[in-house]
Amino acid sequence: MNLGQDIARLLGSYWQQFLLGLAGTLVLSVVGTGVGLLLGVFLALGKKIRPRSDDLWIIKALKYILKGFSVAYSAVIRGTPMMVQALLFKYGCMALGLNWNNVLPGIDVFNGWMVAGLIVITLNTTAYMGEVVLSGLNGVDKGQTEGARSLGLSSSQTLWSVVLPQALRNAIPTIGNEWIVNIKDSSVLNVIGVAELYFAAYNAANDSYAFMASYLIIAVIYLLLTLLSNLVLKLIGVKLEGKHLFRFHHGRRSFA
């Protein structure tokens, strides 16, 4: 049987598994990136903490603890592979008596292991998003802060209303790249039984012995996902810049 026939046979027999795997991959990448970005904001703020001379000793101690935790967390997570983190999380939970098989039992894809995978990918993404947000914060002109303070805004109001929105806007391309990385890197979570796209292909290949065809199918799917993601990011970037994606010249539409 040739490769084309194998692909057709797999798509005909296992399309539901591939579709569920695709859904799992999208959930992992979107939730992991979104929640990771939110937590990454607080991680970046933790790394920017500066104890002041007039702080009480307990406040100084707390600031040093938060800063130390933020720096250490970023270094450890960014310095180890997500696959290893997933395995440590799995067996660490088992050592504590928590078996993710018992969470959401009886559900095909969105089961306990999917919850575990979401935790792992979110915690992993948080470390990278923290660096992205920190870079964005450092890139905002100090004049913005001085101008906001001169208008009577407090330090917290200046941060949340002036500095952080600009930092996130400047960091959107890098945030988008992290999303695309998560689409692909979510495949490593199959090592703890997360039913994502690679997991579906692996099972289909083992059942049918059509390994080349199975992995070629998901390679195409991953490629399409990344291309579509890049298009979405381009649309967002164009929208934020106040431009139109399509321009009209003499009755004809052209791509901007």
Side-chain angles (χ1 to χ4, degrees):
M1 189 175 293
N2 61 36
L3 183 60
Q5 290 175 326
D6 283 342
I7 292 174
R9 179 166 59 91
L10 284 172
L11 292 176
S13 302
Y14 297 95
W15 65 270
Q16 289 181 316
Q17 287 89 327
F18 284 115
L19 190 60
L20 289 172
L22 173 61
T25 293
L26 289 175
V27 169
L28 287 166
S29 61
V30 172
V31 174
T33 303
V35 180
L37 174 60
L38 177 62
L39 296 177
V41 169
F42 293 99
L43 188 68
L45 295 178
K47 297 181 76 171
K48 284 183 69 69
I49 286 179
R50 295 289 186 274
R52 301 184 336 189
S53 58
D54 58 344
D55 286 336
L56 295 174
W57 70 269
I58 186 66
I59 300 299
K60 284 185 179 180
L62 288 174
K63 286 183 175 181
Y64 279 121
I65 290 172
L66 286 173
K67 184 178 181 66
F69 171 80
S70 300
V71 172
Y73 181 90
S74 179
V76 170
I77 297 298
R78 294 171 65 228
T80 54
M82 185 162 64
M83 180 182 291
V84 175
Q85 295 165 15
L87 291 170
L88 288 173
F89 182 80
K90 173 183 177 179
Y91 292 111
C93 288
M94 291 176 65
L96 296 173
L98 175 58
N99 188 340
W100 291 96
N101 281 324
N102 300 327
V103 180
L104 299 179
I107 301 178
D108 190 15
V109 172
F110 302 103
N111 51 27
W113 290 112
M114 174 61 73
V115 177
L118 286 171
I119 294 173
V120 171
I121 197 171
T122 297
L123 294 178
N124 179 272
T125 304
T126 297
Y128 291 93
M129 286 300 188
E131 293 300 310
V132 171
V133 175
L134 182 62
S135 177
L137 290 172
N138 291 335
V140 176
D141 192 280
K142 292 183 178 180
Q144 298 290 325
T145 301
E146 295 171 356
R149 296 304 301 274
S150 68
L151 292 174
L153 273 67
S154 65
S155 297
S156 59
Q157 289 174 326
T158 299
L159 171 65
W160 295 103
S161 300
V162 178
V163 177
L164 187 59
Q166 293 185 61
L168 292 178
R169 177 172 178 172
N170 294 336
I172 280 180
T174 311
I175 293 171
N177 287 336
E178 289 297 327
W179 175 34
I180 293 174
V181 167
N182 277 343
I183 290 175
K184 296 177 289 185
D185 284 0
S186 62
S187 60
V188 306
L189 295 174
N190 75 91
V191 298
I192 62 171
V194 179
E196 40 68 60
L197 193 54
Y198 177 85
F199 188 83
Y202 177 81
N203 288 337
N206 277 343
D207 289 343
S208 64
Y209 297 101
F211 292 95
M212 181 67 180
S214 183
Y215 294 129
L216 184 59
I217 289 172
I218 64 168
V220 172
I221 295 175
Y222 278 122
L223 177 60
L224 291 175
L225 284 176
T226 55
L227 291 175
L228 288 173
S229 300
N230 277 317
L231 178 59
V232 170
L233 294 172
K234 180 178 176 64
L235 291 171
I236 293 174
V238 169
K239 182 69 175 178
L240 289 176
E241 291 175 5
K243 299 178 181 179
H244 296 286
L245 186 62
F246 295 100
R247 295 175 181 173
F248 291 85
H249 298 288
H250 306 292
R252 292 186 177 182
R253 185 172 66 176
S254 62
F255 194 77

